[in-house]
């Protein structure tokens, strides 16, 4: 048996979840993340006490997640863009009920049924709530297959810590590509106990209920205040990779797979005597505003690039507080940005 | 046994497509007409059909779903495949989708293939999740055989961790394939090593034949070597 594995992104998420003690998975297949549900089926069915269900729909899956989370299980669901839209009602309910779970979105071209190629058009949906009401998900944006695995484990931990759903926001390319992965030691006994709040047998204790509502306006406001406090506390979890920030001519801000493409552009630009700095948000919520704010003054020009029409760019603008000139370059529909395109855009801005 | 119908099967992500493309191009040096069938009903990305135009230009005919369905995530099987199997004036490579699910598509050609004969190879990378040891490899092989209704008659050893591949990775992985070959009583047809890695580790002695391959399915942040690779390997484009 070999220790390192060559894994597809979707498989790495599945293995990481199992490694982190996830024993409940509910989902419905959709390209380009179907390998994840297939992987969970193969693996979980062989683990005693684990549950895998390919549900009849995305709505059913997210409500199964809701139930398993209320019972105190480490639980995950996954889908791709249109399927994530279907799950939004359930996600809003789970957040109101303050339950931990991990939701994976391997994004594809949108809107609508869109295309099956990679995209990043669900940033707003992921980071600003997505469903109804005042809430946020913890949103993590990996850019390698190894990071997909590492951040999946982290998503479970953060989700438990704040009793709030966490989302892995990847794209089709990251889900489909293969890279070597290693799984570090993880102590399942370190998972925080859920006995003080989870449902189950009420034998020998008061019966409990977990509900996503309170019909008394004042009491419902208290829930909102409690959620708000959590989002304030969460800000300390913000993470951002800072690359090549020694006297850059221009700073590019990108997340996920696009950040990797930017890294190739950085190397190409060096040959032309251009120094490109890169800020790569790893957490999209909480957004690493402080790191962005501390760095934007280091270059005259800032370029935000995404596989969308411009979504994260709004958070960069807020973080920069008008202290920098911010431009945007994006491709959509499933078209993947090339390093050459980014370099051309950089040259245009530096003219 | 026929030498001119060569089928690649194996677990999902074992390297079938890359090996099929490489072998088709190498065959162009020997044979006039080379056909590569993309029978992948599983993968939505990184398929032979993505390189179809370029391969056609060099002289490899690619059979894959066409037109509006080429990009659909539908399990389509091209109607030309059966004809290409019955045609004898060609060398045919068939790139099958991964796992037993992918191999299921082959079963639809069982009645033709049992008459023509075939080389059915199982490509194995022991660094992939469900073929990590000889027990798992045997399970996968039996599943593929039962779903495809065909018999696997050789193993192709493709031990790699992509860019992290080194001599130790190849040796350790190849040893698992040797164990499998002994357990299953099947020959190892060859050991594949990526050309750039082979250049790094220097010439190595293995009991099995070594086939050097080049990657065609690049990622957007990698240097686009594909066109150069194809031109180097293939025949001069006809005018």
């Amino acid at each position: 048996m070999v220790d390192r594995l060559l894994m597809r992104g979707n498989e790495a998420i599945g293995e990481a979840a199992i490694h982190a003690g996830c024993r409940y998975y509910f989902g419905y297949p959709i390209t380009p993340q179907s390998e994840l549900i297939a992987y969970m089926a193969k693996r979980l069915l062989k683990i005693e006490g684990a549950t895998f269900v390919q549900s009849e729909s995305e709505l059913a899956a997210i409500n199964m997640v809701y139930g398993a989370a209320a019972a105190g299980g480490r639980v995950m669901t996954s889908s791709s863009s249109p399927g994530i839209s279907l799950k939004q009602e359930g996600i809003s309910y789970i957040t109101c009920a303050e339950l931990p779970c991990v939701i994976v979105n391997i994004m594809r071209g949108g809107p609508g049924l869109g295309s099956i190629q990679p995209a990043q058009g669900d940033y707003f949906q992921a980071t600003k709530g997505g469903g109804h009401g005042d809430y946020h998900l913890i949103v993590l944006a990996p850019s390698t297959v190894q990071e997909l695995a590492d951040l999946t484990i982290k998503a479970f931990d953060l989700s438990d810590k704040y009793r709030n759903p966490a989302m892995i926001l990847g794209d089709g390319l990251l889900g489909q590509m293969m890279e070597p992965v290693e799984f570090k030691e993880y102590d399942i006994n370190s998972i925080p106990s859920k006995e003080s709040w989870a449902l189950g047998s009420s034998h020998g204790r008061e019966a409990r209920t977990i509900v996503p509502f309170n019909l008394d306006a004042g009491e419902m406001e208290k829930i909102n205040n409690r959620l708000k406090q959590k989002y304030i506390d969460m800000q300390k979890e913000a993470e951002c990779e800072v690359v090549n920030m020694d006297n850059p001519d221009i700073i590019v801000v990108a997340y996920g797979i696009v950040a990797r493409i930017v890294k190739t552009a950085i190397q190409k630009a060096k040959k032309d005597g251009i120094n490109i700095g890169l800020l790569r948000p790893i957490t999209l919520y909480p957004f690493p505003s402080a790191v962005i704010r501390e760095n934007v003054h280091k270059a005259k020009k800032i370029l935000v690039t995404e596989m969308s029409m411009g979504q994260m760019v709004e958070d960069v603008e807020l973080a920069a507080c008008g202290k920098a000139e911010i431009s945007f370059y994006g491709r959509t529909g499933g078209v993947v940005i090339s390093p050459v395109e980014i370099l051309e855009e950089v040259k245009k801005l530096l003219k | 046994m026929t030498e001119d119908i060569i089928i690649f099967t194996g677990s999902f992500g074992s390297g079938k497509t890359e090996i099929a493309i490489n072998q088709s191009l190498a065959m162009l040096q020997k044979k006039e007409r080379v056909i590569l069938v993309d029978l992948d009903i599983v993968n939505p990305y990184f398929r032979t059909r993505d390189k179809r135009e370029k391969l056609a230009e060099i002289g490899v005919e690619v059979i894959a779903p066409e037109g509006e369905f080429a990009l659909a995530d539908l399990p389509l099987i091209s109607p030309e495949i059966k004809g290409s199997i019955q045609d004898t004036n060609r060398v045919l490579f068939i790139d099958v989708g991964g796992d037993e699910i992918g191999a299921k598509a082959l079963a639809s050609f069982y009645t033709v293939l049992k008459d023509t004969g075939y080389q059915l190879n199982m490509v194995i990378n022991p660094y992939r999740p469900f073929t990590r040891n000889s027990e798992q490899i045997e399970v996968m092989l039996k599943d593929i055989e039962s779903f495809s209704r065909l018999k696997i008659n050789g193993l192709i050893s493709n031990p790699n961790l992509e860019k992290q591949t080194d001599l130790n990775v190849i040796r350790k992985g190849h040893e698992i394939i040797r164990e499998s070959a002994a357990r299953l009583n099947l020959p190892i047809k060859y050991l594949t090593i990526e050309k750039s890695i082979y250049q790094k580790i220097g010439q190595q002695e293995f009991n099995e034949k070594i086939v050097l391959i080049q990657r065609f399915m690049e990622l957007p942040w990698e240097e686009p070597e594909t066109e150069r690779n194809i031109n180097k390997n293939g025949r001069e484009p006809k005018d």
Side-chain angles (χ1 to χ4, degrees):
Chain A
M1 197 97 109
V2 291
D3 47 0
R4 269 175 299 172
L5 283 175
L6 184 62
M7 295 190 109
R8 227 160 255 249
N10 287 329
E11 296 166 339
I13 299 168
E15 190 55 41
I18 292 165
H19 195 69
C22 170
R23 295 292 178 270
Y24 308 97
Y25 175 93
F26 309 99
Y28 185 83
I30 180 171
T31 305
Q33 68 77 56
S34 296
E35 298 78 15
L36 175 48
I37 177 167
Y39 192 88
M40 292 311 264
K42 269 192 171 168
R43 290 280 281 115
L44 282 183
L45 292 176
K46 289 196 178 117
I47 298 175
E48 212 186 303
T51 301
F52 167 89
V53 179
Q54 178 177 324
S55 58
E56 67 272 36
S57 71
E58 286 85 352
L59 271 75
I62 193 68
N63 283 292
M64 290 174 191
V65 169
Y66 186 13
R74 267 209 162 172
V75 53
M76 182 166 88
T77 186
S78 63
S79 192
S80 177
S81 308
I84 294 290
S85 295
L86 285 166
K87 290 183 199 283
Q88 290 302 334
E89 181 195 47
I91 296 172
S92 174
Y93 279 43
I94 294 169
T95 314
C96 184
E98 295 187 74
L99 294 171
C101 66
V102 172
I103 301 149
V104 179
N105 181 2
I106 298 299
M107 293 181 279
R108 63 188 231 179
L113 196 56
S115 70
I116 62 169
Q117 279 76 28
Q120 295 183 323
D122 306 348
Y123 178 94
F124 283 153
Q125 186 194 54
T127 61
K128 311 293 176 190
H132 60 282
D134 268 313
Y135 75 92
H136 287 283
L137 306 178
I138 297 159
V139 184
L140 307 177
S143 79
T144 66
V145 175
Q146 180 66 58
E147 207 178 32
L148 258 183
D150 296 343
L151 290 184
T152 298
I153 296 168
K154 189 169 185 173
F156 279 105
D157 289 343
L158 287 175
S159 171
D160 274 349
K161 184 174 172 185
Y162 292 100
R163 279 181 62 183
N164 194 78
M167 177 174 274
I168 294 290
L169 194 65
D171 67 88
L173 188 56
L174 200 53
Q176 294 293 327
M177 59 183 273
M178 291 204 294
E179 279 183 323
V181 192
E182 255 177 291
F183 294 93
K184 292 164 200 88
E185 285 282 310
Y186 183 88
D187 183 10
I188 292 182
N189 297 319
S190 71
I191 299 172
S193 165
K194 294 165 183 175
E195 263 172 46
S196 64
W197 57 263
L199 304 184
S201 166
S202 63
H203 189 73
R205 64 156 167 84
E206 285 282 298
R208 290 174 190 151
T209 53
I210 291 179
V211 291
F213 66 87
N214 197 310
L215 298 179
D216 180 300
E219 291 301 316
M220 191 60 221
E221 190 177 44
K222 278 183 193 162
I223 294 175
N224 273 287
N225 287 335
R226 196 163 66 235
L227 292 179
K228 174 72 182 175
Q229 190 54 49
K230 278 207 290 203
Y231 302 132
I232 293 168
D233 295 344
M234 242 178 235
Q235 296 306 313
K236 63 175 180 288
E237 310 290 350
E239 256 189 87
C240 185
E241 188 190 9
V242 179
V243 181
N244 207 32
M245 209 51 84
D246 190 18
N247 205 18
D249 299 307
I250 185 167
I251 295 169
V252 178
V253 190
Y255 73 94
I257 213 77
V258 181
R260 267 182 106 159
I261 298 163
V262 173
K263 284 180 183 173
T264 301
I266 291 175
Q267 298 310 317
K268 282 183 180 292
K270 275 188 179 152
K271 289 176 196 155
D272 296 339
I274 300 168
N275 198 19
I276 302 176
L278 168 67
L279 295 172
R280 174 174 77 91
I282 296 168
T283 55
L284 298 182
Y285 192 89
F287 191 70
S289 304
V291 182
I292 305 277
R293 197 171 304 125
E294 285 156 20
N295 281 285
V296 282
H297 69 274
K298 292 183 182 164
K300 285 201 184 75
K301 297 276 167 82
I302 311 291
L303 172 66
V304 180
T305 172
E306 300 170 57
M307 288 183 342
S308 78
M309 280 300 183
Q311 301 192 12
M312 182 179 72
V313 63
E314 293 189 4
D315 285 333
V316 176
E317 277 166 351
L318 278 173
C321 300
K323 282 181 193 152
E325 192 185 317
I326 294 166
S327 309
F328 176 77
Y329 182 77
R331 296 299 300 266
T332 58
V335 178
V336 179
I337 300 178
S338 73
V340 176
E341 262 177 294
I342 292 173
L343 188 55
E344 275 170 10
E345 198 59 27
V346 161
K347 285 180 180 166
K348 214 192 302 173
L349 289 170
L350 290 177
K351 225 180 245 173
Chain B
M1 196 181 291
T2 179
E3 294 293 327
D4 62 9
I5 298 178
I6 301 141
I7 311 171
F8 298 98
T9 179
S11 88
F12 182 60
S14 55
K16 299 174 294 296
T17 298
E18 295 284 10
I19 293 172
I21 293 178
N22 272 271
Q23 290 292 82
S24 312
L25 289 171
M27 189 55 74
L28 279 181
Q29 314 296 343
K30 292 188 229 162
K31 297 281 170 150
E32 184 59 29
R33 191 154 171 247
V34 178
I35 302 176
L36 174 53
V37 172
D38 177 356
L39 193 58
D40 193 338
I41 57 163
V42 181
N43 249 346
Y45 294 10
F46 307 115
R47 300 178 290 197
T48 305
R49 67 196 72 160
D50 301 332
K51 301 287 170 192
R52 163 189 227 143
E53 263 178 45
K54 197 68 208 171
L55 286 165
E57 213 175 279
I58 306 303
V60 176
E61 285 175 45
V62 176
I63 299 181
E66 287 191 53
E68 58 178 325
F69 296 120
L71 293 172
D73 47 346
L74 296 170
L76 297 174
I77 295 174
S78 309
E80 303 100 303
I81 298 175
K82 196 173 170 188
S84 72
I85 295 171
Q86 286 163 332
D87 187 348
T88 49
N89 177 30
R90 50 86 192 102
V91 178
L92 186 68
F93 291 94
I94 306 179
D95 175 18
V96 184
D99 292 0
E100 69 280 7
I101 304 297
K104 204 171 187 172
L106 262 182
S108 48
F109 304 106
Y110 165 74
T111 47
V112 227
L113 285 169
K114 78 173 171 23
D115 294 335
T116 58
Y118 54 86
Q119 302 279 331
L120 181 56
N121 301 309
M122 178 171 171
V123 178
I124 308 166
N125 179 359
Y127 293 93
R128 291 283 299 141
F130 298 107
T131 51
R132 297 176 69 182
N133 53 46
S134 58
E135 291 83 11
Q136 290 185 344
I137 290 167
E138 185 171 6
V139 171
M140 179 70 73
L141 180 132
K142 295 268 155 70
D143 283 349
I144 289 173
E145 286 187 334
S146 96
F147 275 66
S148 66
R149 303 179 67 192
L150 303 174
K151 278 273 167 216
I152 288 169
N153 40 39
L155 307 182
I156 294 172
S157 177
N158 184 31
N160 79 87
L161 280 169
E162 301 223 323
K163 290 195 172 60
Q164 288 182 21
T165 308
D166 56 26
L167 186 56
N168 195 32
V169 164
I170 296 169
R171 284 219 171 109
K172 213 169 147 187
H174 186 55
E175 207 40 56
I176 294 170
I177 311 299
R178 279 192 180 144
E179 278 166 35
S180 298
R183 185 191 180 110
L184 299 160
N185 196 24
L186 282 172
I188 297 177
K189 296 212 174 152
Y190 47 86
L191 161 68
T192 53
I193 302 178
E194 203 185 320
K195 207 169 188 174
S196 60
I197 288 161
Y198 192 73
Q199 281 159 355
K200 240 182 271 168
I201 62 176
Q203 201 169 346
Q204 296 296 331
E205 286 300 318
F206 287 92
N207 293 333
E208 295 79 9
K209 179 180 161 195
I210 296 175
V211 169
L212 299 186
I213 58 164
Q214 283 181 284
R215 277 179 62 198
F216 289 88
M217 302 290 163
E218 276 119 357
L219 293 164
W221 51 87
E222 296 172 340
E223 289 291 316
E225 285 179 271
T226 310
E227 296 202 359
R228 211 183 64 219
N229 286 348
I230 293 186
N231 285 332
K232 228 167 22 190
N233 280 336
R235 192 185 280 162
E236 285 298 305
K238 286 180 191 142
D239 37 21

